[in-house]
Amino acid sequence: LPIDFKITGGDVHDSQVAKQLIDTVGEATYLIADKGYDAEHIRICAQNKDMIPIIPMRSNSKRSNKEFDKYLYQLRHLVENAFARLKHFRAIATRFDKLARNYQSMIYIACMLIWCKAK
């Protein structure tokens, strides 16, 4: 179930708001993310919050990845399922809204409906 989200510009990578989202989560044991979030500052931020980062290294990385757990990484599909549920809402999937505040409002409504349906 979605907890929080941040809207970024079309020219900004999602990993730029990773620190804000990690701070929002509060307590967690693991941070599971894909290769796009393979950055040292994201790993350090997660470790400062007592989370173990489960992020695969990029193919051109020269560092080792001792804490990577392949089984836990497979659970990332649950996050992808949440995105799939959000995209069932046409206004979110197509982003007809020009203003970020309107788009953000639609995502809040969709998240609320997803939570109500789950409960």
Side-chain angles (χ1 to χ4, degrees):
L1 297 172
I3 298 171
D4 198 9
F5 64 91
K6 300 285 183 210
I7 305 252
T8 59
D11 58 343
V12 178
H13 192 270
D14 301 342
S15 66
Q16 300 300 316
V17 294
K19 184 181 181 323
Q20 296 170 10
L21 289 172
I22 290 171
D23 291 339
T24 302
V25 170
E27 277 189 42
T29 307
Y30 300 103
L31 170 69
I32 303 174
D34 61 3
K35 289 181 184 182
Y37 295 87
D38 178 25
E40 196 61 31
H41 69 277
I42 294 174
R43 291 176 187 276
I44 290 171
C45 181
Q47 290 167 347
N48 288 343
K49 291 282 190 175
D50 295 326
M51 295 181 198
I52 300 170
I54 307 295
I55 305 170
M57 294 289 189
R58 292 190 183 132
S59 59
N60 61 353
S61 180
K62 304 225 187 304
R63 297 175 288 157
S64 65
N65 196 1
K66 297 175 200 147
E67 64 269 354
F68 183 73
D69 186 345
K70 197 170 188 174
Y71 172 74
L72 287 175
Y73 183 69
Q74 290 175 351
L75 296 177
R76 194 177 64 85
H77 82 280
L78 298 172
V79 175
E80 300 300 331
N81 290 349
F83 284 119
R85 275 190 233 123
L86 280 172
K87 289 187 177 183
H88 282 255
F89 297 89
R90 184 171 179 233
I92 294 171
T94 56
R95 190 167 181 173
F96 287 132
D97 298 314
K98 292 186 186 243
L99 297 177
R101 70 167 190 235
N102 294 347
Y103 186 64
Q104 185 175 12
S105 299
M106 288 305 301
I107 294 177
Y108 275 124
I109 291 170
C111 290
M112 179 188 63
L113 291 173
I114 290 171
W115 270 91
C116 288
K117 189 175 179 182
K119 298 294 175 180

